[in-house]
Amino acid sequence: MQYERKLGQWYAGALAGFRPDIADYGFDSRRLQFGAYAGHQSKGNKWNAQTTIGYVEQRLDGATDRRYAAVQHSTSINKLNLIASSELELYNPSTGTVRFSSLYASASLS
């Protein structure tokens, strides 16, 4: 489930549900996940931009399995589309460290 509320150019939301079984993508009630996010969207004459930050916790059999923060930004200027996304792992029980787990950037013309 997901709920989102928009307040002008700002928005915020929450999500909760279950991740699918990793073997057959079927329903798996042992894989609970929940989180929250917030963002900003702005538009100009020939451009628009959107930035979202979020937090997600994933559990397996009630114990924390993964906890991460994500940032995503997209900008469109005329026909140029720019996208960047990154995730920061917040849960590592063996070392207690925080680390970047992904970084993605893309530019395209439409």
Side-chain angles (χ1 to χ4, degrees):
M1 293 190 299
Q2 180 177 347
Y3 173 80
E4 185 172 290
R5 174 87 177 172
K6 191 166 184 176
L7 304 165
Q9 294 182 327
W10 295 90
Y11 56 91
L15 57 102
F18 300 94
R19 293 174 288 150
D21 183 278
I22 60 174
D24 64 7
Y25 298 104
F27 179 76
D28 189 345
S29 64
R30 300 174 318 126
R31 299 177 178 274
L32 175 67
Q33 68 178 1
F34 54 89
Y37 62 92
H40 183 265
Q41 184 172 15
S42 56
K43 293 182 180 184
N45 220 7
K46 295 183 179 186
W47 63 274
N48 74 50
Q50 183 174 359
T51 302
T52 305
I53 60 170
Y55 166 86
V56 175
E57 181 159 329
Q58 298 176 330
R59 295 188 170 221
L60 178 60
D61 292 326
T64 300
D65 189 33
R66 183 174 183 223
R67 184 181 296 146
Y68 67 97
V71 177
Q72 185 171 26
H73 177 81
S74 64
T75 299
S76 295
I77 305 169
N78 292 326
K79 295 184 180 225
L80 175 64
N81 301 303
L82 304 170
I83 298 172
S85 179
S86 182
E87 290 182 0
L88 179 67
E89 296 293 329
L90 302 173
Y91 179 73
N92 186 337
S94 60
T95 65
T97 60
V98 173
R99 68 177 180 86
F100 280 100
S101 60
S102 71
L103 177 62
Y104 173 81
S106 172
S108 64
L109 293 170
S110 58

